[in-house]
Amino acid sequence: MSTKLKFIQHLEKNGCYASVVSAEHAAELGGEIRALHEEGRIDDAVYNDYEMQRFTPNLPRSLPKAKSIIVASVPQPMIRATFRWKGHAYQFVVPPTYQDNVEVDRRIKALLREGFGPESYRFVRATLPVKLLAVRSGLALYGKNNITYVPSHGSFHRLTAFYSDYDSPIDNWGEKKALPLCDKCKACTKACPTGAIMGGRFQIRADRCLTYLNEKTSEHRFPKWVDASAHNCLVGCMRCQRVCPYDRDVADRYQDRAAFTEEETTYLLKGNFRGVKAASMERKLKRIGATLTIFPRNLEALLAQKRQ
Ligand code: B12
Ligand code: SF4
Ligand code: SF4
């Protein structure tokens, strides 16, 4: 784990973790992901869907002389929402990290300002492959499910990063490391409903990950090879985290944030969202970290299991 600079201690006192590396590593982070794509280890479809500037990072125009990158981890629970449908109430889950991204960034920026006290530095949000950054900075470890883990919160945390003009005396850059138990454990490989986590290769097949499929807009139907029993969240998937021994202590961290009436559930199952009603539903969905774009497909898939 990272050496404890004063601002890092301040974040820890407030329940978050952080580490810092030299801004010179930004290009390296992007280069590593691009190299995997060039080797054919990231499917073109996944790469192109998520590429954007995070895999070819540039120092921000507003801070061209950034000296460091600060990466932070904020604990997050699963979000639960209740849907009333045909006289029953069903609870469906949205995994950690779908919600509150803006609030998380604001909170970390505020904690950084407090942590540095009178030394006033600038913090500009960095678009980077943040798991790789977190692991190479010593903040987190990779699980074989390719999600990152931090002490106390397991994989239930959101990562965010900022470029800064803070010239850190420490550059926590190191090699990638996996969780100690991953060597022998096969729990996530067995639990993955789509075969995305493979024996013999650490890097997952992201194009097979259920999350990749159910984050797409609803007109993209699920491929035939996805079993109807695979679906387990309103968006995303919790199977490989639920079985992980490092998530044992956080597995019951839920927040109940919304309840949808019979009428609202029927509306979400109809699709073709427009007008004032769509706008107000979008606002309600935002509270649980979801958007209208994934309806009706994902809700249909979950409710279909209840009918069986
Ligand atoms: C694209 C993306 C996806 C894609 C592709 C995921 C993937 N694994 O590539 C899809 C849609 C599938 C996805 C799914 C999910 N995602 Co996502 N996703 C991203 C995004 C935008 C970029 C990730 C990326 O860089 N992928 C490229 C691949 C190649 O990088 P990588 O997974 O880190 O791969 C490394 C390992 O394979 C490792 N490795 C390879 N071999 C070996 C060998 C050893 C020994 C070791 C130690 C390591 C190692 O090296 C690779 C990098 O070089 C980030 C946000 C961001 N800005 O970074 C969020 C992000 C990674 N996602 C996140 C989350 C939470 C998820 C889900 C868990 C959501 C869910 N519950 O449904 C799932 C998990 C799927 C999974 N098992 O990985 C969080 C992760 C938080 C955390 N705790 O780690 C992020 C950081 C968003 C956020 N800000 O919180 N995601
Ligand atoms: S379930 Fe086992 S193999 Fe998978 S990430 Fe957790 S410890 Fe590693
Ligand atoms: S999120 Fe689900 S589909 Fe994706 S790797 Fe984990 S268990 Fe497999």
Side-chain angles (χ1 to χ4, degrees), residues 1-291:
M1 288 291 131
S2 56
T3 309
K4 302 283 169 63
L5 293 162
K6 204 175 118 225
F7 80 90
I8 291 177
Q9 289 176 31
H10 182 69
L11 262 80
E12 286 190 13
K13 262 188 235 144
N14 286 277
C16 304
Y17 294 109
S19 186
V20 60
V21 299
S22 160
E24 285 171 7
H25 299 300
E28 229 169 305
L29 289 165
E32 180 165 338
I33 306 287
R34 287 200 308 281
L36 288 175
H37 177 236
E38 277 153 28
E39 285 164 31
R41 285 166 45 135
I42 306 178
D43 191 87
D44 281 348
V46 179
Y47 186 82
N48 293 331
D49 279 0
Y50 291 91
E51 199 258 350
M52 301 183 280
Q53 70 270 47
R54 76 173 51 85
F55 300 148
T56 41
N58 287 314
L59 296 187
R61 262 191 237 136
S62 57
L63 199 55
K65 293 197 174 137
K67 298 269 192 311
S68 59
I69 309 170
I70 295 170
V71 53
S73 147
V74 181
Q76 286 207 309
M78 289 176 281
I79 301 297
R80 217 164 24 190
T82 306
F83 291 82
R84 295 206 72 86
W85 191 62
K86 295 194 174 165
H88 298 274
Y90 298 110
Q91 283 189 316
F92 297 128
V93 166
V94 178
T97 79
Y98 279 90
Q99 59 286 343
D100 304 337
N101 53 333
V102 176
E103 291 78 1
V104 161
D105 284 353
R106 249 190 238 134
R107 179 166 173 221
I108 292 297
K109 255 189 176 181
L111 288 173
L112 288 172
R113 292 219 172 89
E114 285 166 23
F116 280 108
E119 305 161 65
S120 63
Y121 294 110
R122 299 197 47 216
F123 308 106
V124 179
R125 177 126 197 300
T127 307
L128 290 165
V130 285
K131 284 187 294 182
L132 184 59
L133 168 62
V135 173
R136 297 213 64 177
S137 75
L139 175 67
L141 296 172
Y142 270 114
K144 208 192 287 168
N145 54 13
N146 283 213
I147 306 174
T148 69
Y149 288 72
V150 293
S152 314
H153 311 303
S155 61
F156 284 35
H157 66 108
R158 181 175 183 87
L159 289 168
T160 187
F162 294 90
Y163 290 111
S164 177
D165 50 359
Y166 165 62
D167 195 359
S168 174
I170 295 161
D171 179 7
N172 287 310
W173 192 246
E175 290 305 314
K176 292 188 289 207
K177 287 194 188 128
L179 296 166
L181 286 180
C182 288
D183 218 13
K184 301 231 161 62
C185 172
K186 293 191 173 71
C188 58
T189 309
K190 285 190 197 147
C192 177
T194 55
I197 307 172
M198 297 170 291
R201 181 178 121 168
F202 198 96
Q203 192 195 330
I204 67 155
R205 278 265 319 259
D207 54 311
R208 289 194 70 88
C209 179
L210 186 60
T211 301
Y212 175 61
L213 302 171
N214 69 23
E215 281 185 0
K216 285 177 188 280
T217 50
S218 183
E219 68 271 15
H220 295 93
R221 307 312 289 175
F222 293 120
K224 291 218 165 48
W225 53 262
V226 176
D227 196 87
S229 65
H231 309 287
N232 61 99
C233 288
L234 202 53
V235 61
C237 166
M238 282 305 293
R239 291 267 163 86
C240 57
Q241 294 178 79
R242 282 194 200 283
V243 296
C244 180
Y246 292 96
D247 276 334
R248 208 165 280 151
D249 295 342
V250 293
D252 61 351
R253 286 189 190 169
Y254 287 105
Q255 250 178 36
D256 288 299
R257 281 204 187 170
F260 296 83
T261 62
E262 193 94 33
E263 194 209 337
E264 287 172 324
T265 305
T266 308
Y267 174 76
L268 286 167
L269 288 170
K270 270 208 186 114
N272 196 16
F273 309 111
R274 276 193 211 123
V276 182
K277 189 154 186 191
S280 91
M281 186 56 81
E282 197 73 271
R283 280 195 295 279
K284 185 160 181 177
L285 289 170
K286 195 167 179 236
R287 290 215 295 271
I288 60 168
T291 59

